[in-house]
Amino acid sequence: MPNTFELRNQYLNWLEAIENDNGEISPENETALFEWIQSVDDKGQAIYFMIRKCEASIDECKTLEDDFKAQRRKWENRKKKIQGYLTTLLLLKGETDEKPKFKGPWGSAYLSRRKTVQIIDEESVLKTFGIEETIRKIDRDALKKHLQQSDDFEGARIIETVSSSIRSR
């Protein structure tokens, strides 16, 4: 099966042959056109199935990603629970007038104390310690409407993009 570049060159050669025959389509050019169309159809079908394979792989990855996220959450929760056991043991050890610390060839474990803020009433805290954030965004719809009516705006322009899409049956 010819690649896309070869198909394009075959088409250009076919057009050149017609031009050389003063716009007349000879029987051999007609045969070449039908063969070319068949090659393009075959190539299009192959590309279609490659795209479908990519989409299936993407869906499979999304499923695996969700499974791994769930597994990760499970392990993080398990770690938190076990960490709670360790904290309890260290607190108990601290109540016996020993240093709340474990040390061994594996490393060490100890209690650390940090002060953090717990917000009880968010509304009253926001009044005094609130930060106002502003984000400037471009209104693309209004800009597009303006550019379609008038082309006299520097910094933006309307461009045409071409893309392909697939519809499954």
Side-chain angles (χ1 to χ4, degrees), residues 143 147 151 153-159:
L143 178 60
L147 288 173
D151 240 2
F153 190 81
E154 286 188 35
R157 63 181 176 183
I158 292 181
I159 60 169

Side-chain angles (χ1 to χ4, degrees), residues 10-61:
Q10 287 173 2
Y11 178 70
L12 293 174
N13 291 338
W14 181 80
L15 287 177
E16 189 177 319
I18 291 175
E19 191 176 302
N20 291 340
D21 289 341
N22 297 322
E24 294 293 319
I25 300 177
S26 65
E28 63 247 7
N29 282 339
E30 190 173 347
T31 303
L33 176 63
F34 287 124
E35 289 173 359
W36 181 83
I37 289 173
Q38 184 60 48
S39 294
V40 169
D41 286 347
D42 292 346
K43 189 67 166 182
Q45 184 176 4
I47 290 172
Y48 171 83
F49 285 113
M50 285 190 286
I51 290 170
R52 286 293 176 225
K53 171 66 174 140
C54 290
E55 289 172 345
S57 295
I58 290 168
D59 289 341
E60 185 180 348
C61 287

Side-chain angles (χ1 to χ4, degrees), residues 5-150:
F5 179 76
E6 291 168 344
L7 286 172
R8 185 176 184 282
N9 284 340
Q10 287 173 2
Y11 178 70
L12 293 174
N13 291 338
W14 181 80
L15 287 177
E16 189 177 319
I18 291 175
E19 191 176 302
N20 291 340
D21 289 341
N22 297 322
E24 294 293 319
I25 300 177
S26 65
E28 63 247 7
N29 282 339
E30 190 173 347
T31 303
L33 176 63
F34 287 124
E35 289 173 359
W36 181 83
I37 289 173
Q38 184 60 48
S39 294
V40 169
D41 286 347
D42 292 346
K43 189 67 166 182
Q45 184 176 4
I47 290 172
Y48 171 83
F49 285 113
M50 285 190 286
I51 290 170
R52 286 293 176 225
K53 171 66 174 140
C54 290
E55 289 172 345
S57 295
I58 290 168
D59 289 341
E60 185 180 348
C61 287
K62 286 178 183 176
T63 302
L64 288 172
E65 180 182 20
D66 292 342
D67 291 347
F68 282 125
K69 280 181 181 177
Q71 219 172 24
R72 177 181 174 192
R73 279 191 301 273
K74 184 175 98 180
W75 281 107
E76 285 173 346
N77 289 337
R78 188 173 289 165
K79 176 189 171 202
K80 219 181 268 183
K81 189 175 183 180
I82 294 170
Q83 190 105 29
Y85 296 151
L86 178 64
T87 302
T88 302
L89 286 175
L90 288 167
L91 286 170
L92 289 172
K93 192 171 183 183
E95 288 178 9
T96 63
D97 292 333
E98 285 195 38
K99 283 188 176 179
K101 186 175 186 177
F102 294 122
K103 194 171 187 175
W106 47 269
S108 61
Y110 54 91
L111 286 177
S112 61
R113 299 185 186 273
R114 279 180 247 124
K115 295 192 186 243
T116 185
V117 175
Q118 179 185 19
I119 297 174
I120 299 163
D121 183 9
E122 192 170 321
E123 300 240 353
S124 64
V125 174
L126 275 173
K127 289 177 187 172
T128 309
F129 295 99
I131 301 172
E132 197 167 311
E133 294 182 351
T134 57
I135 299 172
R136 294 194 57 161
K137 288 175 57 176
I138 295 172
D139 184 352
R140 290 184 178 272
D141 293 330
L143 178 60
K144 183 178 178 183
K145 198 177 282 185
H146 174 79
L147 288 173
Q148 285 173 338
Q149 293 171 355
S150 155

